[in-house]
Amino acid sequence: MNHAAVSDSDEQLVRRVLAGNTECFRMLVERYQDAVFGVALSQTGSFPDAEDAAQETFLAAFESLGRLKDPARFGSWLYGIALNKVKMHLRRRRDRPPAEGALGPAAQAPRPDEVAAQRETREALMAALARLSAAHREAATLYYINGYSQKDISRFTDCPVGTVKTRLHDARRRLRKELVAMVEQELKRARPGRKFTERVLRKVSQVRVWLSGGEQNVLLLTDARKRSFMIVIGKAEAEALQPWLAGTGRPEAPDIHTALVRTLAAFAARIEEVVVGELKAHTFHATLTVRSGRGSAELDCRPSDAINLAARAGAPIYVNKEVADACLMKGPGGKPLSTRAAWDSVRHGVLGRPRKGVFRDVLAVIQALEKDPDNALARQAICEATPWQGFVHIRRVPPLVKNPGGAVEALQDWLQRSHGTRLEAPAAGLLGATYLWTSTREPENALPHLERACRLRPGDERIAFDLATAYALAGKADRAIALLRKHRFEKADKCGNFAALRRDPRFRKIAGRPEPSRADLFVSAQLGREIHTRPPLGKMIPKRPAAAGGKAIPLPKLGRQRLGQFQRRLDCGRLLGVEGLLPHLQGKRNWLALGVRPNRRAALPVTAAQARTIHAALVQSPRPLTPKTFCNALADAGIKPEAVALLKRGRRGIEAALLAHAGRTQAAISMAAPAALAVALAAKCPVLITQALAGKLYVRGKSGRRTGLSACPG
């Protein structure tokens, strides 16, 4: 509230917030947080209650800021809101018993003597302040908590300066002299810090989720200011989310997301919040916070999984400011679309049509590059218009090029036209990058063009990075090392471009120890794109396992004693151990072959969506996929999966149960069989099957005998 220390007045900041610059509200919070906290503390006499009331005050102020008639009187208007929130807080507090530690937030791992000393100090402080009247207590608290001047207090409380001066004089006289120093020291130590500001601003960014329901599966996130942000998710995740957004989701549903929420609840844990907080290479990243008896833990996951879990757990969803700015939906004039306009644009397919700044065809992209060779959007459009080989194709919504195709031919023509001009280097570099992007297995096609561009522009690090990548892929380690030593690329150890050099001691000396989790990330510096590569599904899982000599995925085994314990817990009859699992996840018919002891094979049919869940447990990905997110959440909550049991055939498929424990607490969570098997594969825990169900799923050969897993005909 010290206006002399800042250049912008309250009126200027308020008008900027109303114009859409929510970052200015941070400055208002930082300016008034001590004053609001002081008013709340003088009325409640409790440090935690004062902080809660102060936070509620700023949230209410942000939501009703548009109703402020005179922005110059923001301070006194905020003071009125603070008084109302304090009164509401006091009424709620009368209805509940006092909580332990009401004198203030606990410090991190304090010693018992420190806790006792702090409690005694605060008790003496609040007892001394309680002997003052409400007006004198308020003036003294504001004066000592941050050294506010009498003029600042007058402006904030809308009270004459003379009255403030009189109240401060009387308060000092009534307080004992030995308490004055203690009051000032304790109030300054208890004042809210930077974390308080961050909590308020994160609350402001809370969003609501809407689903388009169309083929594009667009999520609309709407913040407190009714601005909409767009995120595209897959079909399976959209179908899983739809019932919960429509209010028809069932808490007992057997899908993997609902099962995770029920598993956490069985062990007194919960999903606390979800933050969509990062945008890398046109891919969103999210953070999931799990609260348990061990405290709170954050784990990385996909936004589609995070939002699905938040919808089921009733947890708040937040969006990082950078992500919100990148995905903000705007109208023709550049202004943010209203909630209704954004929703209508998705429903009517407006997002599927090119917008301003999207190119008609590849020739339009080349024309944009001729005007500005560093046009980032045009470079990404070249990448999108290039036929990809060996990469997972992720399309933009809407696409950058309306009529893609012919990118290589257009770049070749541009290179011929630009010979001897300033555009020769970018044309040659982009053509080489396109060849490299098209197929990393044939870098020889890219090398002549990249070398030509590097000779013309030796200081361009983007061209040098792609050239070093081509050298590494072509087996020319010495030349790649020379470029790495010269330019010292920051991303050299954070991508898979130089996978062939990872064991070379020279590479480790230059770039450091590479990150294994990003080994399949291919980066094109000139095209401005990153993509996660992965082997095709057909190469990972043989189409005909027996004929191709495919091997089953081994599963952990259990002894008889452990099997007996699980039988008694489930009360499901005799259980058999599953020795291995052989997936067949291609084509229209997807199924899993289960090797049941002794030497028997059971066939479990799965749908296409269930096959994708199983596949997600088998592949390696820089971002945890759904089964891995399930296991990470359990691990952070201290829950250990023990086994998965396939129980019986129900109306909606095979019913299964996940057996887990945390300390002495045990639980059996019902799940669909494919989801449970995906969790078992990700957690590497044993799989069991009841003898009755196995008898119905056994596969028999031509002679009528039951076949083993090694005799699987595919």
Side-chain angles (χ1 to χ4, degrees), residues 289-300:
T289 302
V290 178
R291 169 73 65 175
S292 65
R294 304 169 62 179
S296 61
E298 295 183 352
L299 57 112
D300 296 331

Side-chain angles (χ1 to χ4, degrees), residues 5 17 37 59 68 72 74 133 166 178 180 220 241 287 294 296 317 357 393 411 456 603 616 636 680 694:
V17 174
F37 177 78
L59 293 177
L68 176 59
F74 174 80
S133 66
T166 302
E178 60 270 17
V180 171
L220 286 184
L241 186 59
T287 302
R294 304 169 62 179
S296 61
I317 304 171
H393 196 162
L411 286 171
L456 295 171
D636 288 339

Side-chain angles (χ1 to χ4, degrees), residues 193-210:
R194 187 173 184 83
K195 290 185 177 180
F196 174 85
T197 308
E198 295 298 330
R199 282 202 303 273
V200 171
L201 293 174
R202 289 183 68 185
K203 286 281 187 181
V204 169
S205 301
Q206 188 172 351
V207 299
R208 294 176 295 173
V209 185
W210 298 84

Side-chain angles (χ1 to χ4, degrees), residues 473 491-492 494-500 502 518-523:
L473 294 172
K491 291 186 177 181
K494 298 179 176 62
C495 63
N497 294 40
F498 307 102
R502 294 198 167 205
R518 304 177 71 87
D520 64 343
L521 180 67
F522 183 82
V523 178

